[in-house]
Amino acid sequence: MLAMLGVLTTFLPFLYFTAPSIRKFFAGGVCRSNVQLPGKVVVITGANTGIGKETAKELARRGARVYIACRDVLKGESAASEIRADTKNSQVLVRKLDLSDTKSIRAFAEGFLAEEKQLHILINNAGVMMCPYSKTADGFETHLGVNHLGHFLLTHLLLERLKASTPARVVNLSSVVHHAGKIHFHDLQSEKHYSRGLAYCHSKLANVLFTRELARRLQGTGVTTYAVHPGIVSSELVRHSFLLCLLWRLFSPFIKSPWEGAQTSLHCALAEGLEPLSGKYFSDCKKAWVSPKSRDNKTAERLWNVSCELLGIQWE
């Protein structure tokens, strides 16, 4: 025991002394695009905090009209006020969007379509992680309902506006943990077996499969789509797990900041010449390896059809 304490007291100071170099290694890529966005319209879900907020700030800095779509309007207004002051862009707007309630999603879309004639970038950024078992207002398991079905419906409702604004892009935030995910069609709502860690993984696999199938269906329309792993980022996403909160705090010197976590989203939203890679998965601002399960076209198409059935929509 004393020997272990001795090793720890020797190792930890060294670890923290070298933290800047390690952080630089893990920080990943940086969006190098110089594209400016005057006259462009952007919607970002969950942009009141973390990665989404940093993404909104950068796009606003480039001149875009940015809609922060979030559940907590007060936090959204606080974030928008900060972004407006920082970027000198007054066109940062907040609208109510609760992805756990399809009525809220439809209300947001209806309001947005009444306000805007164009939409150039949709970033499906919001998400939940490690939640105790619960269901959304529509009876969907929370991870599936918020992370996948909520964004699936939102994209469906806004797609015609995206098509009318080409070239346009849809960016879906996924995660490297999609490798551990599986789509259990016989138990999509996790009623037979539930693990809050695996439920998150399953939903992130759904994000990658959705991106793949959406890209296939959008070929030739001028709308392209990309799935993103932002990295291990210091954010509120881990708030439902005491253990992860503790680990994030302990290893904070080695975890990406929200600004660093936003870089791959920005790359996929802005980088020129990315159109041939529509449907692909990105990490650290470059195309990354995906799970073989996420390359299964039959699973992607089946998930698409099942999602339409659950939401009561028809999507050609």
Side-chain angles (χ1 to χ4, degrees):
M1 187 67 174
L2 289 175
M4 287 181 64
L5 287 173
V7 170
L8 283 173
T9 54
T10 303
F11 179 67
L12 286 177
F14 169 78
L15 195 61
Y16 278 83
F17 178 75
T18 58
S21 298
I22 298 173
R23 275 211 61 185
K24 186 176 180 180
F25 175 79
F26 283 109
V30 174
C31 176
R32 303 294 182 186
S33 172
N34 294 316
V35 169
Q36 298 300 304
L37 301 172
K40 302 298 184 183
V41 180
V42 178
V43 169
I44 310 175
T45 67
N48 57 307
T49 187
I51 296 170
K53 180 180 174 183
E54 291 298 328
T55 304
K57 186 183 296 183
E58 181 57 33
L59 296 178
R61 185 173 284 116
R62 293 170 186 247
R65 180 176 172 90
V66 178
Y67 282 81
I68 294 176
C70 60
R71 183 176 58 180
D72 190 328
V73 175
L74 288 178
K75 283 187 177 180
E77 290 291 356
S78 176
S81 178
E82 180 185 324
I83 292 169
R84 287 191 290 262
D86 187 63
T87 64
K88 305 299 186 289
N89 181 347
S90 63
Q91 298 299 299
V92 181
L93 309 171
V94 180
R95 297 293 181 268
K96 171 82 172 181
L97 172 65
D98 184 350
L99 288 162
S100 68
D101 186 345
T102 58
K103 289 182 180 178
S104 176
I105 298 169
R106 290 181 182 279
F108 167 82
E110 183 180 353
F112 175 82
L113 294 174
E115 283 187 81
E116 295 290 347
K117 300 303 180 187
Q118 290 188 309
L119 174 59
H120 303 92
I121 301 172
L122 170 61
I123 301 181
N124 291 320
N125 167 85
V128 294
M129 179 182 182
M130 299 285 286
C131 298
Y133 188 79
S134 59
K135 289 189 175 183
T136 68
D138 302 276
F140 307 134
E141 186 279 314
T142 298
H143 293 90
L144 178 76
V146 173
N147 296 350
H148 169 59
L149 291 172
H151 284 127
F152 187 95
L153 177 59
L154 179 65
T155 305
H156 166 73
L157 295 171
L158 299 181
L159 189 59
E160 291 307 312
R161 195 63 92 242
L162 286 160
K163 287 181 178 179
S165 312
T166 55
R169 294 185 181 184
V170 178
V171 179
N172 298 317
L173 265 73
S174 181
S175 169
V176 70
V177 301
H178 82 272
H179 288 277
K182 187 174 182 180
I183 306 300
H184 296 283
F185 288 105
H186 66 285
D187 188 26
L188 272 180
Q189 309 306 333
S190 301
E191 293 172 327
K192 297 177 182 177
H193 174 74
Y194 182 72
S195 161
R196 57 185 186 172
L198 286 176
Y200 178 70
C201 299
H202 302 333
S203 70
K204 294 294 102 178
L205 174 59
N207 294 150
V208 180
L209 289 166
F210 169 48
T211 304
R212 183 179 184 86
E213 182 66 10
L214 182 61
R216 185 183 72 81
R217 291 171 181 257
L218 290 177
Q219 287 179 4
T221 65
V223 181
T224 53
T225 182
Y226 312 91
V228 165
H229 168 54
I232 300 175
V233 180
S234 176
S235 74
E236 295 180 5
L237 187 63
V238 298
R239 63 189 180 276
H240 293 292
S241 171
F242 173 78
L243 178 60
L244 285 181
C245 286
L246 187 62
L247 288 172
W248 257 236
R249 190 174 293 272
L250 181 62
F251 292 99
S252 58
F254 317 108
I255 292 174
K256 285 185 178 183
S257 68
W259 182 88
E260 290 165 341
Q263 295 306 302
T264 305
S265 294
L266 290 166
H267 173 78
C268 289
L270 298 170
E272 297 174 291
L274 218 57
E275 289 77 11
L277 297 177
S278 182
K280 303 302 182 184
Y281 170 78
F282 286 75
S283 177
D284 289 334
C285 298
K286 59 182 182 292
K287 187 165 76 76
W289 184 75
V290 291
S291 162
K293 290 172 285 189
S294 66
R295 297 196 295 267
D296 186 338
N297 291 331
K298 289 184 178 179
T299 300
E301 184 175 8
R302 185 180 177 187
L303 178 63
W304 181 283
N305 292 333
V306 169
S307 300
C308 287
E309 290 174 12
L310 289 170
L311 292 165
I313 60 175
Q314 290 185 336
W315 197 340
E316 299 299 329

